[in-house]
């Protein structure tokens, strides 16, 4: 193998990495792909309020039925089990989190309309 062939085999992967890195940077800044991982606070901020409401109601019903909390006088155990079944079904239909919005930190000012 000639010297220039050996050099080109070593240079091509380096050039490909440079070009692919620039493409990755462009896709991340312009298209919002590959966002950084969210912190626990950011994830909690995206919690679906309706899902959380159902979660807490389910938790309270289960505590009543398990005898950990006093049963409310206006409900019978049968009514609570029926409500628990309904709430579990509704919760399965709810998304746990709201959609993640793209970060605007990487947008340049000249990109704005």
């Amino acid at each position: 193998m000639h010297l220039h062939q050996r050099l080109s085999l070593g240079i091509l992967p380096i050039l490909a990495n440079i070009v692919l890195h620039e493409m990755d940077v462009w896709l991340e800044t312009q298209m919002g792909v590959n966002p950084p991982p969210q912190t626990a606070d950011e994830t909690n901020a995206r919690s679906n309020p309706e899902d959380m409401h159902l979660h807490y109601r389910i938790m309270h019903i289960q505590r009543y039925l398990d005898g950990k909390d006093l049963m409310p006088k206006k409900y019978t155990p049968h009514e609570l089990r029926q409500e628990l079944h309904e709430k579990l079904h509704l919760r399965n239909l709810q998304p746990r989190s709201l959609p993640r919005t793209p970060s605007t930190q990487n947008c340049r000012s000249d990109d704005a309309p």
Side-chain angles (χ1 to χ4, degrees), residues 79-92:
E79 291 172 330
L80 285 175
R81 279 192 290 279
Q82 188 174 13
E83 183 182 352
L84 177 63
H85 179 74
E86 292 167 5
K87 298 293 184 194
L88 287 170
H89 176 71
L90 287 174
R91 187 165 185 221
N92 286 335

Side-chain angles (χ1 to χ4, degrees), residues 28-32 102-112:
E28 288 174 358
T29 58
Q30 301 299 317
M31 306 299 286
S103 174
T104 56
Q105 296 172 352
N106 296 329
C107 293
R108 297 187 330 233
S109 61
D110 60 347
D111 289 342

Side-chain angles (χ1 to χ4, degrees), residues 87-101:
K87 298 293 184 194
L88 287 170
H89 176 71
L90 287 174
R91 187 165 185 221
N92 286 335
L93 301 175
Q94 290 289 326
R96 303 264 187 234
S97 300
L98 300 174
R100 185 174 181 178
T101 58

Side-chain angles (χ1 to χ4, degrees), residues 16-98:
N17 281 340
I18 292 170
V19 170
L20 289 175
H21 173 72
E22 290 301 319
M23 186 174 89
D24 284 342
V25 169
W26 183 83
L27 285 170
E28 288 174 358
T29 58
Q30 301 299 317
M31 306 299 286
V33 298
N34 200 21
Q38 289 190 323
T39 64
D41 288 339
E42 291 170 331
T43 303
N44 289 339
R46 289 187 319 115
S47 294
N48 182 353
E50 183 62 29
D51 179 67
M52 293 305 296
H53 176 75
L54 288 169
H55 168 76
Y56 286 118
R57 182 62 185 150
I58 289 167
M59 186 178 66
H60 285 292
I61 293 171
Q62 288 173 333
R63 289 185 63 81
Y64 296 142
L65 292 174
D66 291 343
K68 294 179 181 173
D69 287 341
L70 291 175
M71 178 100 46
K73 292 181 181 180
K74 61 182 179 178
Y75 293 109
T76 65
H78 175 73
E79 291 172 330
L80 285 175
R81 279 192 290 279
Q82 188 174 13
E83 183 182 352
L84 177 63
H85 179 74
E86 292 167 5
K87 298 293 184 194
L88 287 170
H89 176 71
L90 287 174
R91 187 165 185 221
N92 286 335
L93 301 175
Q94 290 289 326
R96 303 264 187 234
S97 300
L98 300 174

